[in-house]
Amino acid sequence: KQWYQRRVAITAGENSRVMGETLRSELRKLPSDIVTTVRGRGLFNGIVIKETDEFDAWQVCLRLRDNGLLAKPTHGHIIRFTPPLTITAPEMEEAVGIISDTIRSFVK
């Protein structure tokens, strides 16, 4: 039983690294006039939103929610993304699609 528990922990850690790299890679493709910085480690990631008179991180998070993805705004201009350690590649692809479509909906 201990071997199995250790194996699962290693697998979750590896999944966190791989899926986190995938997420950050895709987030870096977002329009730089809206997303100024992408940062994170493993599956704890964040983007910095360029605040304007028209929107801030809170409005982006509300639209993400309306599109099916929950994220947490912090400090008025940062959005945190913390998917579960067990997220799969197809789930990450869906999440990235929602994030991308939502961010691009703020482009004039």
Side-chain angles (χ1 to χ4, degrees):
K1 187 173 182 177
Q2 288 178 340
W3 173 85
Y4 175 75
Q5 289 172 337
R6 188 204 269 130
R7 180 80 173 138
V8 170
I10 292 169
T11 301
E14 179 67 10
N15 189 59
S16 174
R17 184 187 65 76
V18 171
M19 291 294 106
E21 288 173 1
T22 300
L23 177 58
R24 285 185 299 282
S25 172
E26 293 300 316
L27 292 175
R28 288 186 185 103
K29 296 176 184 176
L30 296 173
S32 60
D33 55 329
I34 296 177
V35 176
T36 61
T37 307
V38 174
R39 57 184 178 221
R41 184 171 185 182
L43 284 171
F44 189 74
N45 294 278
I47 58 175
V48 177
I49 298 290
K50 182 178 181 181
E51 290 183 81
T52 69
D53 292 335
E54 294 146 22
F55 65 88
D56 61 7
W58 177 252
Q59 278 96 16
V60 174
C61 283
L62 290 177
R63 196 168 296 175
L64 283 165
R65 180 206 59 199
D66 294 343
N67 292 335
L69 188 133
L70 297 178
K72 179 169 178 25
T74 61
H75 307 293
H77 65 289
I78 298 170
I79 299 175
R80 286 187 202 161
F81 299 104
T82 55
L85 293 175
T86 57
I87 192 167
T88 64
E91 291 168 336
M92 181 60 77
E93 186 178 323
E94 180 181 3
V96 165
I98 292 170
I99 295 166
S100 179
D101 292 347
T102 301
I103 295 294
R104 292 177 198 287
S105 74
F106 286 94
V107 175
K108 292 182 177 182

